[in-house]
Amino acid sequence: MFPSSTMLTTSRKILIFSLAYYPIEGGAEIAVKEITDRITDIEFDMITMRFNAAHPKKEKIGNCTIYRINTSKNLYPFKAFLLARGLHKDRSYDAIWAIMANWAGFAALFFKFRFPQVPFILTLQEGDPIPYIKRKVRFVYPLFKKIFTRADIIQAISRYLADWAREMGYKKKVEVIPNGVDVKKFTADVQSSALDKENITLITTSRLVEKNGVKDIINALRFLPNVKLRILGAGPLESELKLLATGLPVEFVGFVSQDEIPKYLHEANIFIRPSLSEGFGSSFIEAMAAGLPVIATAVGGIVDFLRDGETGLFCQVKNPASIAVQVRRLLENENLKNVIVENAKKMVKEKYDWDLVVREMKEKIFDKV
C-alpha cells in the first residue's frame, strides 16, 4: 500500500466496465483486484456480469463495489450502460475504465457518447489472436474502432497490444504497463536445485483452449521418456486432451485457485506454455518468480520479458519436437538452467512486482484523469 503522504485529500470515483470478475479468476480479474486493492484514494465501482445466481448482485470486494447484472454477453453493453447512467447521476464519476476492447469496451463507449466530458480509460488485456478478434467484430467494425479512438488514455499490458491500439487509430501515446506478480507469494521457500533427470515434472497453468498449445506439450512427451506433465486448468478442450494423453504420464489437476498455484509450481521442474497467441502471459511471470525455467513461444507479449537463453527458452509454435529439444537442453545443461532461473527471478523482482506496477498505474493513468 502506498504511503499516506501520496494520497489525495479528495476521493475520486472511477467506474469499471469488466465482463467478468471474482470469483471468476483470470489475468485481467487478478490485475484489477491487485490494482484497486492497492489504490485507496480512489473509490472504484464495477459493473460486471452475474454468471451464477449464487453471486451477489452487489457486494464490496476489497476497494471495489461490484454491481452484477443478469445478462448475456451481447446485451451486456446496453444493460451496463443503462446501469452506469443511473449510477453516474448519484456518484458523478471522475473517469470510466474499460477492461479490454470487448463487450466492456462497447459499454464504456456508449457511456462516453452520452457523457463525453468524463475521461475514458481503456486497458488492453486481450490474449486471443488479433485476427480472431477482428473476425468476431467484423459486422460492427467501425463502431469497434471507436472504442480505441474515443478513449482518452489507453494502457496496454504489452508492446504487442500497444501496436494494436495504434493500428486501430489511437493517436496519443499508449502507456505500456504490464501485469504483475505477488513476488513474495510465489518466491516463498524457493531454493534452486539440480534437476533430477529421472523424475522430471513439466507443468503448465492455463485454460484448456486452442491458443495455449496444451496439445503440443502432451505430444512432446512422446519424445521425452521419464518425463511427466501436470496440467492446471480447465476448459472446453479437456475431454479431447485427456483422450490425446491416453497412455502418457499426464495428470489433469483441473481448476486451481490463485492461492494454490505456488504450491504446484514449487513441486515442478520446468514450466511450459507453447502459446499460439498471448497478450502478455502472467503465468510465465509467476513461474519465473517461483524459480522455474520457462519454455515458451515467441508470440505476442511474451517477447517483452523472455529473452532466449537469458530469462527462458523459446520453442517453435505448434512443434512438439521443438519443445522436447528445449526440455533436453535444460536437463543436459545445469549451468544454463541456473543462469535462466536467476536472471528471470531478478527481472521479475525488479520489473513485475505488483507494488511497482500499481505505482506506475497510479502515476501514469489515474493521476492524469
Side-chain angles (χ1 to χ4, degrees):
M1 191 172 295
F2 297 106
S4 58
S5 60
T6 67
M7 301 304 179
L8 301 178
T9 55
T10 302
S11 180
R12 292 169 293 161
K13 303 178 186 69
I14 293 180
L15 177 62
I16 305 169
F17 294 96
S18 180
L19 202 63
Y21 200 57
Y22 280 75
I24 295 170
E25 285 185 342
E29 291 75 40
I30 292 167
V32 172
K33 189 171 190 306
E34 293 286 351
I35 292 166
T36 56
D37 280 356
R38 284 172 165 81
I39 299 180
T40 57
D41 65 325
I42 297 175
E43 294 178 28
F44 292 97
D45 292 345
M46 176 190 289
I47 300 175
T48 188
M49 287 180 62
R50 190 178 184 219
F51 289 94
N52 190 309
H55 299 166
K57 291 184 178 180
K58 180 182 178 181
E59 69 172 326
K60 186 86 176 242
I61 299 179
N63 187 36
C64 190
T65 301
I66 314 302
Y67 296 87
R68 295 190 180 89
I69 53 176
N70 296 313
T71 182
S72 65
K73 288 181 179 180
N74 289 337
L75 289 178
Y76 171 86
F78 306 101
K79 290 189 174 182
F81 162 67
L82 292 174
L83 176 56
R85 186 178 63 181
L87 290 172
H88 183 56
K89 182 178 179 180
D90 295 330
R91 301 277 286 157
S92 187
Y93 292 109
D94 297 284
I96 56 171
W97 180 19
I99 309 303
M100 295 195 274
N102 55 17
W103 295 271
F106 280 116
L109 178 65
F110 296 161
F111 188 97
K112 183 68 174 177
F113 286 157
R114 175 64 180 82
F115 304 102
Q117 75 283 3
V118 179
F120 170 19
I121 303 164
L122 172 63
T123 285
L124 298 179
Q125 287 262 5
E126 281 76 355
D128 287 330
I130 289 172
Y132 169 77
I133 296 173
K134 289 182 176 179
R135 284 197 303 272
K136 284 180 64 178
V137 300
R138 62 189 181 278
F139 297 116
V140 290
Y141 193 71
L143 187 63
F144 181 69
K145 284 192 70 174
K146 289 184 182 295
I147 296 174
F148 297 81
T149 58
R150 292 299 299 269
D152 296 285
I153 297 176
I154 293 184
Q155 173 246 334
I157 59 173
S158 65
R159 290 176 294 171
Y160 167 72
L161 291 175
D163 289 342
W164 182 40
R166 289 185 282 267
E167 177 196 334
M168 295 299 287
Y170 186 72
K171 302 299 183 184
K172 302 175 187 177
K173 179 185 177 183
V174 181
E175 296 291 352
V176 179
I177 304 174
N179 286 342
V181 63
D182 186 335
V183 171
K184 289 181 180 178
K185 179 166 73 174
F186 281 88
T187 59
D189 302 321
V190 173
Q191 293 183 349
S192 181
S193 60
L195 291 176
D196 177 0
K197 299 175 186 178
E198 300 301 318
N199 296 284
I200 298 299
T201 298
L202 312 180
I203 191 168
T204 190
T205 62
S206 66
R207 288 196 70 234
L208 304 185
V209 293
E210 189 70 26
K211 84 166 193 73
N212 288 331
V214 180
K215 185 184 304 182
D216 297 324
I217 315 174
I218 293 173
N219 283 327
L221 293 182
R222 304 180 195 279
F223 304 97
L224 294 167
N226 303 318
V227 174
K228 62 183 179 180
L229 171 63
R230 182 171 288 162
I231 300 171
L232 275 60
L237 293 185
E238 184 171 346
S239 297
E240 179 184 336
L241 293 173
K242 285 182 175 178
L243 184 62
L244 179 67
T246 302
L248 294 171
V250 180
E251 178 188 1
F252 288 83
V253 179
F255 171 77
V256 173
S257 72
Q258 189 70 9
D259 289 337
E260 294 180 286
I261 289 177
K263 175 177 72 74
Y264 285 96
L265 292 176
H266 297 168
E267 294 172 354
N269 303 105
I270 299 170
F271 180 91
I272 301 179
R273 191 153 105 189
S275 307
L276 281 61
S277 69
E278 203 73 62
F280 176 70
S282 299
S283 294
F284 302 95
I285 299 295
E286 292 168 354
M288 289 174 172
L292 293 184
V294 167
I295 298 173
T297 47
V299 300
I302 295 174
V303 297
D304 283 8
F305 55 79
L306 200 153
R307 297 183 298 277
D308 194 47
E310 296 181 35
T311 57
L313 294 177
F314 281 133
C315 63
Q316 297 171 10
V317 177
K318 292 188 175 181
N319 190 331
S322 170
I323 295 171
V325 167
Q326 300 298 50
V327 170
R328 285 195 293 267
R329 282 185 69 191
L330 292 171
L331 297 181
E332 295 166 4
N333 191 333
E334 187 71 20
N335 183 63
L336 173 64
K337 173 255 180 183
N338 289 335
V339 167
I340 286 173
V341 167
E342 292 308 313
N343 285 343
K345 285 168 63 177
K346 182 174 184 291
M347 176 193 67
V348 171
K349 184 177 180 180
E350 292 177 352
K351 294 182 63 176
Y352 295 102
D353 184 274
W354 270 121
D355 284 340
L356 302 175
V357 171
V358 172
R359 189 174 298 278
E360 269 200 282
M361 284 293 297
K362 187 171 189 304
E363 293 174 354
K364 293 182 179 180
I365 308 299
F366 300 123
D367 284 352
K368 292 184 177 180
V369 297

